[in-house]
Each structure stands twice: as C-alpha cells, then as structure tokens.
Amino acid sequence: MHLNHGGTDKSRKGARLQLGLAAALCGTALLLTACGGSSNSSGGTVTPPTICTPAADEVQPWLNTAYTPACRAQFLLDSISSVEDKVALALALGTNAGSETGAEGTAAKQLLATYGLSAYTRKDGPAGVADGSGHGTAFPSPVTVAASFDTTLAASYGAAIGQEFHDLGYGMVYGPAMDILRTWHFGRAAEGYGEDPFLAASMARPIVDGMQSQNVVAVIKHFAAYTQEAGRSGEDGKPSFTSTYAYTGNDVIVSRRALHEIYFPPFKAAVQSGGAGGVMASFPKINGEWAAENPYTLGVLKTTWDFDGFAIPDYPSYFHPVQCVSAGMDAKINAAFPIGTQDSLVQALYEGTLSEERVNDMIRRQLMPIWRVGLDANPPTEGGPAVTANRAVAVEAITKGAVLLKNAGVLPMSATQTVAVIGAQAGNDANTATLQARVNTNLYGAAYVRPVNLVTPFTAIQAKAGANATYSSGTLGVGALSTPFEVMSHSWTPAGVLMVDDATGLSLDSSLKLTTDLEGVTPGLTATYYNSPDLSGSVLGTQTEYAINFSDNSGIGIPLPYSGLAGDHQWSVAWSGYLNPQSTGTYRFTARVRARTVTTSACGATRTPW
C-alpha cells in the first residue's frame, strides 16, 4: 500500500508511504553545553563539562543540587571505573518503578540505590493519566486544545496533566504526542494536535513547559512521521529478541523536505523551546531504517537541534541493542524486552564497535532531564489530587476548543425552552460512562482516561433547561454486552466478549449456554481459521473455543489463537455455534469487531471475518 506524503524534494514528486511496518528499539543522542563544555556535533553526544570540581569531603557529589546537571552527571561518571558497571547503570536508569517488579526490575532498583538514585514510575499521558486510577481528570483530547488556538490554555492544560501525574506517583509522562494528523483513519488521531505543523508546533512549547513545571519529565512521541497504526507490527507477527530482524513492517517513504516542513516542526519546538526531557521513537522504518535506529532522524534530533535529553523506543519497538545504542537510543522501555542487551553492549565495547563515551552519554542524557526539572528534589507523591481539582481547566479546554457551526436561536439555552435529547451516548448509558469503556471507547489506548465523575450531555442540558428537557436513548446503544457477558481486559490481552465455562458451556451468570451443536451437548464454538482477511481461500484449520477473541496482538509477542496464522490482521475466523437461553427474557448482543461483514443467522450461528 502506498500513500502520498505532502512536501517534496527538488524533483517535486510526492513522496510515498510504503506500508509494511516494523518495531525497533533505538534512540537518540544529545547535544548540551554545560559548565563550560561544548556540544560534539559530529557524534551527537554531550561533551563533558570542562570544569567540575566537587568539594573534597563530598561522598556522592552528584546528589548535590547546587551543582549543574552536567557537572552532577560528570561526578557520577568519574566515580565508576568499569565499563560493565556503566552499562548496567545506563540500563537500570530506564527502569519503570511501577511496572517492573520482577527480578530484573528489582535488581535495577537496587543498583540505582547504591548510587543514591531512584527509579521512577512512567505512564502514558497525552490527555491525562492513562486508564485512570479513580483520582485523575479525563481531560478533553489534545486536538480540542489545538482547536482553541490558545497557547495560554495549552500551558494550563500541560501543567494540570503534569500536576496529576506528580500527585498520583508518576515521574515521567509518555506524552504529549506530536504526531501530525495525516488522515482521520490514524489510530492516534485523538492523541495529537491536528494536521497543521505550525499549529502543532505552537502548542508543543506551552504543553511541554507546563508539564515539566510540575517536576515531571515529558517524553514526546512518536518520532517521526508516524501516521499509521495499521500494520505497525509487521506481517511476521513475532518480535525479535535476537540479532535477526523478524518484522517486514511498514516503511515510511518520505522526502527530507516533507520531514522538515511537516513532521519535524512539533518535535523541534518541543525540544528547542519547550525543553522536553525525552523523545520516544515511532515503530516503523523511515526511508528504509527503523525509526529507533535511524541515523538521519536521530542525527537531526541530537546534533542539529541540540537535544539534551534521552531517547527511548516505543513498546515494543526493540531489535538490535548495539545498533540502537550506536544510533542514539539511550534507554530501554521495559525490562522484559532487552534480553541479552547488557552482555551485547559490553561485548561491543570490548570489540570496539561501541564507544565508552556513547555509554557515558546514555547516562548523562537520562539523568540530566531528571535533575533539570527537579524530579529528584521533588519526587512524586501518591496521595492523589481530588477528582475535581482540574475540572475548571478541562471545562475551559472543551469550551474554547468547541466550534459552533450554526445557531438558529437555540443558544443561549434557557429554562423556558423545550429540549429533546436523543441518543444513547447522551445519557447515563454512554459508552465512556461504563467500566467497560477501557475496551470499548473510541478514544482507545495511550490517551484514554477512565471518567470518574462523568457529566453526560443530557445532565448538562437539563441543568440549563430544567424540567423542559427530556431524554430518549433512541436505540439500544453502541456498547458491548453488559456484564457478565463482557469480560474486562487490558488493551492487548485477548478479550472474551462471549466467554463460557469450558466444561458446562454456561456463561458467568449461568443465564446462557453456548454449544457447538443444536442439541446443547458440546460446550463452546467451532472456530474455522483462514489465512486471508475475508474468509476466502482454503481452511487453515478448526478448533473448539470458549470465548470469541477478536484480538491480534502478535506484534507484541502474544500468541495468535491458531497455529500457522499469518499475523498482522491478515487472517479471518468464522465462529459457529448455538446460544441457548436458560430462562425466558430479553437478551442484548452486540458485535465490536474490525470486520468487513458480520452476519448472524436466526439459529444463532455467527460468521465474523477479522
């Protein structure tokens, strides 16, 4: 598949986006002048400061906030004699304190503690603390803020998000997302600041500055030219933890002019004007090189723009440890992924394919933003803000970002008007109002924050119109099955929308029985798999299943539901079986799939191509 990108080189021919995506772990290098030092433009590394002398009696001078971040980093590096210890520290600094609780994460935290350092919890947060914890604010989407054209509002928005991250125990924000909205089909559309590079760049500085004013590090994403989610994990469907690439994923073919005029401006502004502490690489290749190993894009970031922070891959864009670090990747994103990374880097040091200064640079870049924003001096708390603390900011954002296309005398609303509000999404059964919203909402993934105190459209209109406001759902709504027929799941855990006991075939509340035969003897459904996206071609195989599983998360290592499937959503499945109600009543069923067709026969057999 090819998509035209805007912007051209001298040939004036539109560049192409060639899809066949990949994930990689690589990074960026940084340029910084501190304590009299200068940047190394040839290598993209931070030149060590020229004059940094600690007091003679200081045991760990890098913990003294009176020194500049550059000097503190140099003090720490001067105290470490072996390259093995430096590699271990460089990798440990990327530990996510909240999620890495296994043996490797524990060891990393213990290592950091020997230097008086801490691991910090990181979380997605383009529009607030992702997923929600029952204490944060579900802010309006970032594109709403962009629609306000108000940089002062953007600063308040960023500061409010940063404050909630800090007060809920998080030290780093994976956000804001600076992806240019190239098409409305883009899966990250709700996370970014629209299609205009100038507008997005104008929002970048105040957003980042606001976040980091709250003593948290902003990690902007996804660098760069990331405009398509579909196929990002490649056709092979298995991440590689070896020296061999496993993906044949998307390759964004785009001119350098288009990069600089369209896709780079928001990142450049966030780095140079906003002082962003981190940058997260995107998944695919860019002009034939993985985004996390791309020497051109990472060279621009670290050398041309004088970026003084760290670069990390997105989850799970990880491939070659040595190539990634050499290109400029400074940290890992998850302890479970870089299998053998430490040994590989140490071996490369002894073989001369990786320099000790590059490892030093990894350490500098990870520590300096933490110290620059005051995260170490003002560590995150865990008490949590009141859920109403930033409601005013959220209301201001949605108000200023809204666009009134026509007013035929209806507004401003008064209690003398009669108002009919129709639609399931306007009432208490709105999709986002349910606990199942995490797996059903359109704003899905990194930017989703579960609403805690949701004010529905009808409630708000009723507050203005009073008793003259009436409501009707109009339809049964777009939500999935009510509990207990829907099983809650994480976004990349297979979701059993219909799940039954494998011994009895009964649903969780025993009100339904699902069987492969009309007589109701054999529990489950018969699943028939095809290596095509539309149920065409020969049958790959069949098996009995006890949950309808619409997930293809092979790109992050979760096995596909049947052996031999192509992965990357290039397969389909037809389920057939019988639902037998165990009591008389009204039963509601919905299908939430990426299907081309969904047909359900009167006797209950369901055919749903993936």
Side-chain angles (χ1 to χ4, degrees):
M1 179 178 179
H2 301 281
L3 300 175
N4 291 329
H5 270 251
T8 61
D9 285 317
K10 294 180 180 179
S11 65
R12 301 289 180 180
K13 294 180 180 178
R16 298 174 299 153
L17 169 61
Q18 178 180 346
L19 300 180
L21 171 133
L25 155 75
C26 288
T28 330
L30 154 77
L31 298 171
L32 177 71
T33 300
C35 292
S38 61
S39 61
N40 181 346
S41 60
S42 62
T45 58
V46 179
T47 301
T50 55
I51 302 175
C52 282
T53 305
D57 59 345
E58 287 188 279
V59 178
Q60 293 183 322
W62 56 86
L63 301 181
N64 187 342
T65 59
Y67 297 111
T68 66
C71 285
R72 294 173 66 183
Q74 191 59 44
F75 296 154
L76 176 58
L77 289 169
D78 290 342
S79 73
I80 306 174
S81 58
S82 76
V83 292
E84 290 87 352
D85 289 345
K86 288 183 177 180
V87 170
L89 177 59
L91 295 176
L93 285 168
T95 301
N96 189 332
S99 62
E100 298 182 35
T101 57
E104 185 176 351
T106 299
K109 295 169 192 174
Q110 291 173 344
L111 175 62
L112 292 174
T114 64
Y115 296 101
L117 304 173
S118 300
Y120 297 100
T121 303
R122 305 131 186 259
K123 198 171 186 66
D124 285 318
V129 181
D131 297 331
S133 60
H135 299 285
T137 302
F139 291 94
S141 61
V143 72
T144 302
V145 179
S148 73
F149 294 86
D150 189 333
T151 55
T152 301
L153 170 63
S156 299
Y157 182 82
I161 292 174
Q163 175 250 317
E164 294 201 359
F165 263 78
H166 186 274
D167 289 354
L168 288 171
Y170 301 101
M172 295 190 184
V173 183
Y174 288 155
M178 293 286 108
D179 304 312
I180 291 296
L181 180 57
R182 194 180 166 280
T183 168
W184 64 269
H185 295 93
F186 182 36
R188 304 269 184 164
E191 295 184 30
Y193 292 84
E195 75 280 6
D196 187 331
F198 179 81
L199 177 59
S202 299
M203 295 289 114
R205 183 205 59 77
I207 292 285
V208 170
D209 189 58
M211 284 183 177
Q212 296 190 154
S213 70
Q214 304 300 307
N215 308 119
V216 296
V217 176
V219 183
I220 58 175
K221 58 183 187 178
H222 306 82
F223 191 69
Y226 190 44
T227 63
Q228 178 170 310
E229 288 272 273
R232 71 181 190 176
S233 297
E235 296 176 359
D236 294 334
K238 294 180 181 178
S240 172
F241 305 124
T242 67
S243 60
T244 303
Y245 280 21
Y247 288 96
T248 55
N250 290 351
D251 188 3
V252 180
I253 307 302
V254 56
S255 69
R256 289 188 177 182
R257 178 175 177 178
L259 285 172
H260 284 273
E261 293 183 357
I262 300 174
Y263 301 105
F264 280 173
F267 292 94
K268 183 179 181 180
V271 166
Q272 292 189 328
S273 300
V279 172
M280 180 181 288
S282 59
F283 291 90
K285 292 179 182 178
I286 303 173
N287 295 327
E289 300 277 358
W290 305 118
E293 295 180 0
N294 195 292
Y296 178 73
T297 56
L298 297 177
V300 169
L301 173 67
K302 290 192 164 184
T303 302
T304 307
W305 296 348
D306 289 342
F307 174 55
D308 72 345
F310 59 85
I312 61 174
D314 199 349
Y315 179 91
S317 54
Y318 176 87
F319 282 99
H320 301 107
V322 177
Q323 289 91 323
C324 290
V325 170
S326 296
M329 190 55 58
D330 300 299
K332 58 186 176 60
I333 194 170
N334 189 299
F337 266 74
I339 298 174
T341 294
Q342 185 166 335
D343 293 340
S344 298
L345 296 181
V346 171
Q347 180 180 351
L349 284 166
Y350 282 111
E351 292 175 349
T353 55
L354 183 67
S355 70
E356 183 176 354
E357 181 50 38
R358 175 76 267 267
V359 178
N360 290 344
D361 192 55
M362 294 169 66
I363 295 173
R364 287 192 188 96
R365 289 178 177 279
Q366 292 183 77
L367 286 173
M368 288 171 58
I370 291 173
W371 293 335
R372 174 160 53 83
V373 304
L375 176 55
D376 64 321
N378 302 276
T381 57
E382 295 185 3
V387 292
T388 58
N390 288 306
R391 183 172 293 178
V393 176
V395 170
E396 182 183 11
I398 197 66
T399 301
K400 291 186 175 180
V403 178
L404 178 62
L405 299 179
K406 181 180 180 180
N407 182 17
V410 175
L411 300 177
M413 194 172 291
S414 70
T416 62
Q417 293 172 292
T418 299
V419 181
V421 181
I422 302 172
Q425 289 298 94
N428 291 330
D429 291 329
N431 205 13
T432 54
T434 69
L435 290 177
Q436 288 78 15
R438 182 62 181 88
V439 293
N440 291 327
T441 181
N442 292 328
L443 185 56
Y444 182 91
Y448 178 71
V449 181
R450 179 171 62 84
V452 178
N453 294 321
L454 182 67
V455 178
T456 67
F458 175 65
T459 301
I461 291 172
Q462 191 177 40
K464 293 289 186 180
N468 292 326
T470 58
Y471 169 76
S472 174
S473 64
T475 70
L476 292 179
V478 298
L481 303 176
S482 305
T483 303
F485 307 123
E486 170 146 1
V487 179
M488 294 285 291
S489 75
H490 193 278
S491 62
W492 44 64
T493 299
V497 178
L498 281 178
M499 176 177 281
V500 297
D501 183 80
D502 59 3
T504 65
L506 292 174
S507 59
L508 297 181
D509 68 343
S510 298
S511 64
L512 285 173
K513 187 175 183 180
L514 185 64
T515 62
T516 62
D517 59 308
L518 183 60
E519 292 74 22
V521 176
T522 306
L525 287 167
T526 299
T528 304
Y529 286 93
Y530 301 79
N531 259 334
S532 66
D534 55 4
L535 299 177
S536 63
S538 60
V539 173
L540 176 65
T542 62
Q543 65 184 12
T544 299
E545 297 181 352
Y546 306 98
I548 294 180
N549 173 11
F550 298 120
S551 299
D552 182 342
N553 294 297
S554 53
I556 56 173
I558 295 177
L560 288 164
Y562 194 83
S563 177
L565 289 177
D568 192 33
H569 308 293
Q570 299 304 305
W571 55 275
S572 53
V573 56
W575 287 284
S576 61
Y578 299 86
L579 279 171
N580 301 288
Q582 301 299 291
S583 59
T584 301
T586 300
Y587 293 83
R588 171 186 169 193
F589 301 93
T590 62
R592 181 185 61 85
V593 295
R594 304 177 188 176
R596 290 164 177 79
T597 59
V598 178
T599 58
T600 305
S601 71
C603 61
T606 302
R607 187 174 176 82
T608 307
W610 173 258

